[in-house]
Structure formats: structure tokens, C-alpha cells
Amino acid sequence: GAGVSQTPSNKVTEKGKYVELRCDPISGHTALYWYRQSLGQGPEFLIYFQGTGAADDSGLPNDRFFAVRPEGSVSTLKIQRTERGDSAVYLCASSSVSNEQFFGPGTRLTVL
Amino acid sequence: EDQVTQSPEALRLQEGESSSLNCSYTVSGLRGLFWYRQDPGKGPEFLFTLYSAGEEKEKERLKATLTKKESFLHITAPKPEDSATYLCAVYSGGSNYKLTFGKGTLLTVNP
């Protein structure tokens, strides 16, 4: 069956620009997570959705980051006024009641 | 705050040379410990979940074990295709289900 998909796979932008990253979870998974992974590090939690609502956004680094999941399926991570320090791989994961999170391939964001 | 420390940072083995990776954790109350495999340029691939001390799980050449302070990922007779970064993560419960990851162990298996 289809896994978690993320688009684009790569995104290059300039400092100060706005970007949107998309995640399409496994069908039927109600929980969706965003993580950020820097080189040589493990993934770091950003935000968690249960259904349409953000149940925990404590990992978002500042108010330039925002995420939505309007219909309880696809989610979009939005980053305003990008900075060079935002460069990383952004990972999306989804899970069902088992709590086992299945990850997508990630979006590599490069801010020039 | 939950903490996960993985060792060694990197491990180089010859094909067939068995070894173990370590994951030490500090959590307020462990509700689950997860092992993932990550290949370069890919997302983490789920391997195992362990829930309580003494639990063991196996998959092909991999075996994961759990104590109250650490988990081990044992690799028996590894092959070059086992080369990857192995990530350990913990879940301490509550309503958020977020995972706290270690930095991973980069395993290289030479033919």
C-alpha cells in the first residue's frame, strides 16, 4: 500500500521567502507529525495533529512556522521569512492507534 | 525532559562480524522505545517497538532488547546491505505521542 508521501522532495529558496511543504499521510491514519532533521542529528519534533487540530505545537521554533491540516488528511507546513538556519530535512510521519510512526521521504529545504 | 544517547556514533564491521548498538535513555516514564533504520536521503524506516524491560523482538539479522535504562540492537552476521544509520527514539506518554530521538549510529558493513 502507499506510504507517506511528501512534496517537493527538494526546495531551494532565498532568505526571506515563504515556503510550503506538503505531507500526504497513510490513508486512515488520524495522527500526523512534523519533524526536522539537521545533518548528523536525529529528527526533532515540531508539531502533532490528531485529526484536524494541532494537539501539540510545542516543537515549533518560532512564530514563522505554522502548519495546517484542514480536512484531517493532507498537511502543509508553512515557513515565513525563511532564514539560512531553517535549512534542514523536514520529515512527516503518520500513525494509527498503535503509536508506531511511519515516516515519509522528507523534503530537503535549502535557504540561500 | 526525555533524553536519548546512542553509542557508538559510528561502527565499521566486516561482513559476518556480529556486534551491538546501544541506546541509553532518560525518561519520566517509558511508554515505548522505537528503533528505526535510515538510509542516506531517505526517511526513517520503522523496525521495532519495545514496551517493557525484558522484551525482545527479532527481524532477520536484527534483535532488539530492552532494560530499564537502555536498549540494544544486536546485529548477527551482518551483510553490506545492513549499512545504514540506526535511530533510537522514546515515547514517554501523555497526550502528544511525540518521539524523542537520539543522534543515531552510522553502521558500515564492509564485504
Side-chain angles (χ1 to χ4, degrees):
Chain A
V4 178
S5 62
Q6 293 186 244
T7 54
S9 56
N10 281 283
K11 176 70 177 177
V12 180
T13 190
E14 294 180 343
K15 180 176 179 295
K17 298 290 188 182
Y18 168 83
V19 296
E20 289 189 352
L21 312 179
R22 175 188 168 109
C23 171
D24 205 333
I26 293 171
S27 178
H29 280 190
T30 58
L32 184 146
Y33 311 78
W34 285 98
Y35 291 81
R36 178 167 72 174
Q37 187 174 27
S38 301
L39 194 63
Q41 305 292 315
E44 292 182 309
F45 170 78
L46 295 176
I47 187 169
Y48 155 65
F49 286 90
Q50 181 60 254
T52 60
D56 182 357
D57 63 359
S58 63
L60 295 178
N62 52 59
D63 61 5
R64 295 188 296 105
F65 288 74
F66 188 71
V68 296
R69 194 186 186 199
E71 298 179 355
S73 178
V74 171
S75 175
T76 304
L77 179 64
K78 308 180 180 190
I79 310 174
Q80 298 178 325
R81 304 183 304 279
T82 52
E83 300 178 356
R84 292 193 179 88
D86 298 335
S87 296
V89 175
Y90 289 80
L91 294 165
C92 176
S94 70
S95 70
S96 63
V97 295
S98 71
N99 189 17
E100 292 167 353
Q101 297 182 22
F102 296 90
F103 284 81
T107 293
R108 181 175 298 278
L109 175 66
T110 303
V111 182
L112 301 176
Chain B
E1 186 171 322
D2 300 343
Q3 290 188 334
V4 178
T5 303
Q6 293 189 246
S7 61
E9 291 185 5
L11 180 63
R12 191 177 293 271
L13 300 174
Q14 288 298 123
E15 185 172 2
E17 179 186 2
S18 301
S19 189
S20 296
L21 312 182
N22 177 265
C23 170
S24 298
Y25 61 88
T26 304
V27 300
S28 55
L30 183 70
R31 298 287 294 275
L33 185 140
F34 301 79
W35 282 99
Y36 287 84
R37 169 191 170 126
Q38 187 171 29
D39 292 298
K42 302 277 184 72
E45 175 190 344
F46 172 78
L47 293 173
F48 304 108
T49 309
L50 301 167
Y51 292 102
S52 57
E55 188 175 1
E56 299 182 352
K57 288 195 176 173
E58 288 188 66
K59 179 180 180 180
E60 296 182 355
R61 295 176 293 282
L62 300 178
K63 178 180 175 180
T65 61
L66 181 65
T67 73
K68 290 186 178 179
K69 295 182 179 180
E70 57 192 349
S71 176
F72 292 93
L73 185 65
H74 306 278
I75 304 176
T76 302
K79 298 182 178 181
E81 53 262 42
D82 294 323
S83 297
T85 295
Y86 290 85
L87 294 165
C88 172
V90 296
Y91 158 58
S92 60
S95 60
N96 58 25
Y97 290 93
K98 73 176 183 183
L99 298 181
T100 300
F101 282 86
K103 293 184 178 181
T105 293
L106 175 61
L107 175 67
T108 304
V109 182
N110 296 315

Short mmCIF file of all heavy atoms in Angstrom, two decimals, chain A residues 47-75:
data_model
loop_
_atom_site.label_atom_id
_atom_site.label_comp_id
_atom_site.label_asym_id
_atom_site.label_seq_id
_atom_site.Cartn_x
_atom_site.Cartn_y
_atom_site.Cartn_z
N ILE A 47 5.50 19.45 15.44
CA ILE A 47 4.07 19.60 15.69
C ILE A 47 3.37 18.28 15.46
O ILE A 47 3.83 17.44 14.64
CB ILE A 47 3.47 20.72 14.80
CG1 ILE A 47 2.02 21.02 15.17
CG2 ILE A 47 3.60 20.36 13.32
CD1 ILE A 47 1.48 22.29 14.49
N TYR A 48 2.26 18.09 16.18
CA TYR A 48 1.47 16.86 16.10
C TYR A 48 0.00 17.22 15.90
O TYR A 48 -0.54 18.10 16.60
CB TYR A 48 1.67 16.07 17.39
CG TYR A 48 0.57 15.11 17.78
CD1 TYR A 48 0.27 13.99 17.01
CD2 TYR A 48 -0.15 15.30 18.95
CE1 TYR A 48 -0.71 13.11 17.40
CE2 TYR A 48 -1.14 14.41 19.35
CZ TYR A 48 -1.42 13.31 18.56
OH TYR A 48 -2.40 12.43 18.94
N PHE A 49 -0.63 16.55 14.94
CA PHE A 49 -2.05 16.71 14.69
C PHE A 49 -2.78 15.42 15.03
O PHE A 49 -2.35 14.32 14.67
CB PHE A 49 -2.30 17.00 13.20
CG PHE A 49 -1.93 18.37 12.75
CD1 PHE A 49 -0.64 18.63 12.28
CD2 PHE A 49 -2.84 19.41 12.79
CE1 PHE A 49 -0.29 19.90 11.86
CE2 PHE A 49 -2.49 20.68 12.36
CZ PHE A 49 -1.21 20.93 11.90
N GLN A 50 -3.92 15.57 15.68
CA GLN A 50 -4.85 14.46 15.82
C GLN A 50 -6.12 14.93 15.11
O GLN A 50 -6.82 15.82 15.59
CB GLN A 50 -5.12 14.16 17.30
CG GLN A 50 -6.08 13.00 17.51
CD GLN A 50 -5.53 11.70 16.91
OE1 GLN A 50 -5.99 11.22 15.87
NE2 GLN A 50 -4.55 11.13 17.57
N GLY A 51 -6.38 14.32 13.97
CA GLY A 51 -7.48 14.82 13.15
C GLY A 51 -7.11 16.16 12.54
O GLY A 51 -6.02 16.33 12.01
N THR A 52 -7.97 17.12 12.65
CA THR A 52 -7.74 18.44 12.05
C THR A 52 -7.01 19.40 12.97
O THR A 52 -6.46 20.40 12.51
CB THR A 52 -9.07 19.09 11.63
OG1 THR A 52 -9.88 19.23 12.81
CG2 THR A 52 -9.82 18.23 10.62
N GLY A 53 -7.00 19.12 14.26
CA GLY A 53 -6.44 20.06 15.21
C GLY A 53 -5.00 19.77 15.59
O GLY A 53 -4.59 18.61 15.67
N ALA A 54 -4.26 20.84 15.86
CA ALA A 54 -2.88 20.69 16.33
C ALA A 54 -2.92 20.39 17.82
O ALA A 54 -3.18 21.27 18.64
CB ALA A 54 -2.08 21.95 16.05
N ALA A 55 -2.66 19.14 18.18
CA ALA A 55 -2.74 18.73 19.58
C ALA A 55 -1.51 19.18 20.37
O ALA A 55 -1.57 19.34 21.58
CB ALA A 55 -2.89 17.22 19.68
N ASP A 56 -0.40 19.35 19.68
CA ASP A 56 0.84 19.75 20.35
C ASP A 56 1.73 20.46 19.33
O ASP A 56 2.19 19.83 18.39
CB ASP A 56 1.56 18.53 20.92
CG ASP A 56 2.84 18.87 21.68
OD1 ASP A 56 3.22 20.07 21.74
OD2 ASP A 56 3.46 17.94 22.22
N ASP A 57 1.94 21.76 19.51
CA ASP A 57 2.82 22.51 18.60
C ASP A 57 4.03 23.04 19.35
O ASP A 57 4.66 24.02 18.95
CB ASP A 57 2.07 23.64 17.90
CG ASP A 57 1.55 24.69 18.88
OD1 ASP A 57 1.77 24.53 20.10
OD2 ASP A 57 0.95 25.67 18.42
N SER A 58 4.38 22.38 20.46
CA SER A 58 5.45 22.87 21.32
C SER A 58 6.83 22.83 20.67
O SER A 58 7.75 23.49 21.15
CB SER A 58 5.48 22.04 22.61
OG SER A 58 5.77 20.68 22.33
N GLY A 59 6.98 22.09 19.60
CA GLY A 59 8.28 21.99 18.94
C GLY A 59 8.53 23.04 17.87
O GLY A 59 9.66 23.17 17.38
N LEU A 60 7.52 23.82 17.51
CA LEU A 60 7.72 24.86 16.50
C LEU A 60 8.70 25.89 17.06
O LEU A 60 8.48 26.43 18.14
CB LEU A 60 6.41 25.52 16.13
CG LEU A 60 5.38 24.63 15.43
CD1 LEU A 60 4.10 25.39 15.16
CD2 LEU A 60 5.94 24.04 14.14
N PRO A 61 9.76 26.21 16.33
CA PRO A 61 10.83 27.06 16.89
C PRO A 61 10.42 28.51 17.12
O PRO A 61 10.95 29.15 18.03
CB PRO A 61 11.96 26.95 15.86
CG PRO A 61 11.32 26.46 14.62
CD PRO A 61 10.13 25.68 15.00
N ASN A 62 9.53 29.03 16.32
CA ASN A 62 9.09 30.42 16.49
C ASN A 62 7.84 30.64 15.65
O ASN A 62 7.35 29.71 14.99
CB ASN A 62 10.21 31.39 16.07
CG ASN A 62 10.76 31.07 14.69
OD1 ASN A 62 10.02 31.07 13.70
ND2 ASN A 62 12.03 30.76 14.61
N ASP A 63 7.32 31.88 15.68
CA ASP A 63 6.04 32.13 15.00
C ASP A 63 6.17 32.24 13.49
O ASP A 63 5.18 32.53 12.80
CB ASP A 63 5.36 33.36 15.60
CG ASP A 63 6.19 34.62 15.43
OD1 ASP A 63 7.26 34.57 14.77
OD2 ASP A 63 5.78 35.66 15.97
N ARG A 64 7.35 32.03 12.94
CA ARG A 64 7.47 31.99 11.47
C ARG A 64 6.98 30.64 10.93
O ARG A 64 6.73 30.51 9.73
CB ARG A 64 8.92 32.21 11.04
CG ARG A 64 9.48 33.59 11.38
CD ARG A 64 10.85 33.80 10.77
NE ARG A 64 11.84 32.87 11.32
CZ ARG A 64 12.31 31.81 10.66
NH1 ARG A 64 11.89 31.54 9.43
NH2 ARG A 64 13.22 31.04 11.22
N PHE A 65 6.87 29.66 11.82
CA PHE A 65 6.47 28.31 11.43
C PHE A 65 4.99 28.11 11.78
O PHE A 65 4.55 28.43 12.90
CB PHE A 65 7.30 27.27 12.16
CG PHE A 65 8.73 27.17 11.69
CD1 PHE A 65 9.65 28.15 12.02
CD2 PHE A 65 9.15 26.11 10.92
CE1 PHE A 65 10.96 28.08 11.58
CE2 PHE A 65 10.45 26.01 10.48
CZ PHE A 65 11.36 27.00 10.82
N PHE A 66 4.28 27.52 10.83
CA PHE A 66 2.86 27.25 11.06
C PHE A 66 2.47 26.03 10.24
O PHE A 66 3.04 25.79 9.17
CB PHE A 66 2.02 28.47 10.62
CG PHE A 66 0.58 28.37 11.00
CD1 PHE A 66 0.18 28.49 12.32
CD2 PHE A 66 -0.40 28.16 10.03
CE1 PHE A 66 -1.15 28.40 12.67
CE2 PHE A 66 -1.74 28.07 10.37
CZ PHE A 66 -2.11 28.19 11.70
N ALA A 67 1.55 25.23 10.74
CA ALA A 67 1.12 24.05 9.99
C ALA A 67 -0.39 23.92 10.08
O ALA A 67 -1.00 24.31 11.08
CB ALA A 67 1.79 22.79 10.52
N VAL A 68 -0.98 23.35 9.02
CA VAL A 68 -2.42 23.15 8.99
C VAL A 68 -2.74 21.75 8.48
O VAL A 68 -1.92 21.14 7.78
CB VAL A 68 -3.12 24.21 8.09
CG1 VAL A 68 -2.95 25.60 8.66
CG2 VAL A 68 -2.58 24.13 6.66
N ARG A 69 -3.93 21.31 8.83
CA ARG A 69 -4.42 20.01 8.34
C ARG A 69 -5.95 20.14 8.26
O ARG A 69 -6.67 19.55 9.05
CB ARG A 69 -4.01 18.89 9.30
CG ARG A 69 -4.18 17.50 8.73
CD ARG A 69 -3.88 16.46 9.77
NE ARG A 69 -3.92 15.12 9.19
CZ ARG A 69 -4.05 14.02 9.91
NH1 ARG A 69 -4.16 14.08 11.23
NH2 ARG A 69 -4.06 12.84 9.31
N PRO A 70 -6.45 20.93 7.34
CA PRO A 70 -7.85 21.37 7.34
C PRO A 70 -8.89 20.26 7.24
O PRO A 70 -9.98 20.41 7.78
CB PRO A 70 -7.92 22.32 6.13
CG PRO A 70 -6.75 21.93 5.28
CD PRO A 70 -5.69 21.46 6.21
N GLU A 71 -8.57 19.16 6.56
CA GLU A 71 -9.57 18.11 6.39
C GLU A 71 -9.17 16.82 7.09
O GLU A 71 -9.77 15.76 6.84
CB GLU A 71 -9.83 17.88 4.89
CG GLU A 71 -10.40 19.12 4.20
CD GLU A 71 -10.64 18.90 2.73
OE1 GLU A 71 -10.29 17.83 2.21
OE2 GLU A 71 -11.18 19.83 2.09
N GLY A 72 -8.16 16.89 7.93
CA GLY A 72 -7.76 15.72 8.69
C GLY A 72 -6.95 14.72 7.91
O GLY A 72 -6.76 13.59 8.37
N SER A 73 -6.47 15.11 6.74
CA SER A 73 -5.65 14.21 5.95
C SER A 73 -4.34 14.90 5.58
O SER A 73 -3.40 14.90 6.38
CB SER A 73 -6.39 13.74 4.70
OG SER A 73 -5.56 12.90 3.92
N VAL A 74 -4.29 15.55 4.42
CA VAL A 74 -3.09 16.25 3.97
C VAL A 74 -2.75 17.39 4.93
O VAL A 74 -3.64 18.07 5.45
CB VAL A 74 -3.29 16.79 2.55
CG1 VAL A 74 -2.16 17.71 2.14
CG2 VAL A 74 -3.46 15.63 1.57
N SER A 75 -1.44 17.57 5.15
CA SER A 75 -0.99 18.67 5.99
C SER A 75 0.02 19.51 5.23
O SER A 75 0.75 19.01 4.37
CB SER A 75 -0.35 18.14 7.27
OG SER A 75 0.20 19.19 8.05
#
